[in-house]
Amino acid sequence: LGGHPCQRYFSIGIRALEINRDVSGKNFEVSVHMIFDDIDAFNKYSASPTHEDFITEAAGMSPERIVYDSYLTLEILPDPEK
């Protein structure tokens, strides 16, 4: 799922079971994080064979799939001097 043109970030994670706040989502086990340069890059990824293959192969792996689409409006990079 990673390595697509104009994809700036990709990672897979698991739920942090030791963090148990009232606002913590508990309805997932695995998370996929992707950041694209813009909506056009996202749309190209969404229509790609890689994405379509993932959807097909992942079908039935969990009782539901939840997607949180959002726009990032601020990016804070690490201070290279620290």
Side-chain angles (χ1 to χ4, degrees):
L1 297 176
H4 290 273
C6 301
Q7 184 183 54
R8 298 176 69 189
Y9 179 82
F10 170 79
S11 68
I12 296 175
I14 59 171
R15 187 162 60 99
L17 297 174
E18 70 277 7
I19 300 174
N20 194 16
R21 303 179 305 150
D22 291 342
V23 296
S24 296
K26 297 172 181 67
N27 58 342
F28 74 99
E29 298 299 323
V30 176
S31 60
V32 177
H33 306 266
M34 296 183 198
I35 298 174
F36 296 92
D37 284 346
D38 53 34
I39 190 66
D40 291 332
F42 167 76
N43 288 336
K44 287 177 186 173
Y45 161 77
S46 292
S48 73
T50 301
H51 180 252
E52 292 299 322
D53 289 346
F54 171 73
I55 296 299
T56 300
E57 291 173 17
M61 292 178 79
S62 64
E64 65 180 321
R65 181 176 302 152
I66 302 168
V67 176
Y68 297 99
D69 295 319
S70 61
Y71 290 104
L72 298 179
T73 57
L74 175 65
E75 182 175 350
I76 300 173
L77 300 175
D79 184 347
E81 296 186 20
K82 288 188 178 183

